[in-house]
Amino acid sequence: MPDILIRPATLDDAAAMCAIYNPYVASTTISFEEQPVAPGDMAGRIAGVHEAGLPWLVACDGDRLLGYAYATKWRARPAYRTSVESSVYLDAGASGRGLGAALYRALLDALRTRGVHMVIGGIAQPNARSVALHEKLGFRKVAHFSEVGRKFGRWVDVGYWELRLA
C-alpha cells in the first residue's frame, strides 16, 4: 500500500474519525456506544490517549482518512501500567485491502517502543473479520463473556484476545 501514510493522529482528525466511527455506532454491535460521537468528544478522546503517553494513529490516502488505531489503558490501577486495550476502525470502503493489518502492525510497533507488555483486544461477537485480523497478527483468544452487552434489543457476547509484546 505505497500511497497510504500512517501517522500520529491530531485533534484536526476528529471529524473524519467520527465519519468512520459513527456508522459502527448506528448500525452494528461492533461498538457498544449507542449515540453518535461528536467531533469535540472525539478530539477529547484523542487528547486523553496522547496525555496517557499512548499512540493514536491514522491511515491516510492523501487528505482522506481511511482508518485509525489506538490504545488505552487496560485498567486504572498502577500494576496494570504495561497492559493496554487496542482498537482499530476502518472506513467501510477501505476494508479488504490489508489496511487494517498495516495500521495494527504500526500500532503494535508504537506500543513496543513504549514498553507495553500485553495488548488486549475485546471483540463483540460475532465478528469473524476482527477475529481473523487479531489472530493473523498473533493474538490468541483468552476469554469469552456471554451476554455482557445489550444493543438493538439483543444480548451481545464479547471475546478477548491477547498479544504479548515483550
Side-chain angles (χ1 to χ4, degrees), residues 28-113:
T28 77
T29 57
I30 289 171
S31 167
F32 278 10
E33 292 199 66
E34 297 180 320
Q35 299 299 317
V37 177
D41 293 332
M42 186 66 77
R45 294 175 187 191
I46 297 165
V49 166
H50 289 301
E51 288 167 10
L54 294 170
W56 191 314
L57 305 175
V58 295
C60 301
D61 184 358
D63 290 337
R64 183 168 173 241
L65 199 142
L66 300 175
Y68 63 93
Y70 64 97
T72 56
K73 292 179 181 180
W74 170 241
R75 296 281 187 257
R77 303 278 192 263
Y80 291 114
R81 69 185 154 275
T82 60
S83 296
V84 299
E85 185 169 8
S86 57
S87 296
V88 176
Y89 288 94
L90 296 180
D91 181 86
S95 63
R97 303 184 323 195
L99 179 61
L103 192 53
Y104 218 144
R105 282 187 189 102
L107 178 68
L108 296 173
D109 288 344
L111 292 169
R112 281 184 187 95
T113 68

Side-chain angles (χ1 to χ4, degrees), residues 91-155:
D91 181 86
S95 63
R97 303 184 323 195
L99 179 61
L103 192 53
Y104 218 144
R105 282 187 189 102
L107 178 68
L108 296 173
D109 288 344
L111 292 169
R112 281 184 187 95
T113 68
R114 287 165 170 83
V116 170
H117 177 70
M118 189 67 70
V119 182
I120 300 159
I123 306 171
Q125 297 298 300
N127 188 338
R129 291 178 82 167
S130 186
V131 169
L133 173 61
H134 282 82
E135 292 181 352
K136 174 182 178 178
L137 295 172
F139 285 76
R140 66 182 186 89
K141 188 173 185 180
V142 293
H144 188 104
F145 298 105
S146 298
E147 299 181 357
V148 294
R150 189 160 176 83
K151 189 170 177 183
F152 304 132
R154 66 181 180 94
W155 293 109

